[in-house]
């Protein structure tokens, strides 16, 4: 995974966990379309992360096939 993407995902995940631990709702834009956009954005980043994991060979797999 690209280091910048990993850092962004980690930051978002950490912020969500901190807000959940504090008992506060995450700050989300008002309106139903805004929350849908937020979910789409998060899903998009997760798909990017998954695609990068598939595209980069695992070190153990690369050693076993070489």
């Amino acid at each position: 995974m690209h280091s910048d993407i990993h850092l962004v995902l980690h930051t978002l995940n950490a912020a969500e966990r901190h807000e959940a631990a504090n008992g506060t709702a995450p700050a989300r834009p008002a309106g139903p379309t805004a929350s849908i956009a937020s979910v789409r954005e998060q899903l998009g980043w997760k798909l990017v992360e998954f695609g990068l994991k598939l595209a980069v060979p695992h070190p153990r797999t690369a050693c076993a096939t070489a």
Side-chain angles (χ1 to χ4, degrees):
M1 177 185 309
H2 196 274
S3 60
D4 292 339
I5 304 275
H6 177 76
L7 181 61
V8 169
L9 288 172
H10 176 69
T11 303
L12 290 173
N13 193 6
E16 288 176 355
R17 289 179 184 257
H18 282 227
E19 290 169 351
N22 290 336
T24 60
R28 300 202 189 268
T33 57
S35 64
I36 291 172
S38 176
V39 169
R40 278 190 188 159
E41 183 178 344
Q42 290 178 6
L43 178 62
W45 281 113
K46 291 294 181 181
L47 289 172
V48 167
E49 178 184 7
F50 181 68
L52 289 173
K53 285 182 181 180
L54 289 176
V56 178
H58 195 275
R60 288 185 290 177
T61 306
C63 294
T65 59

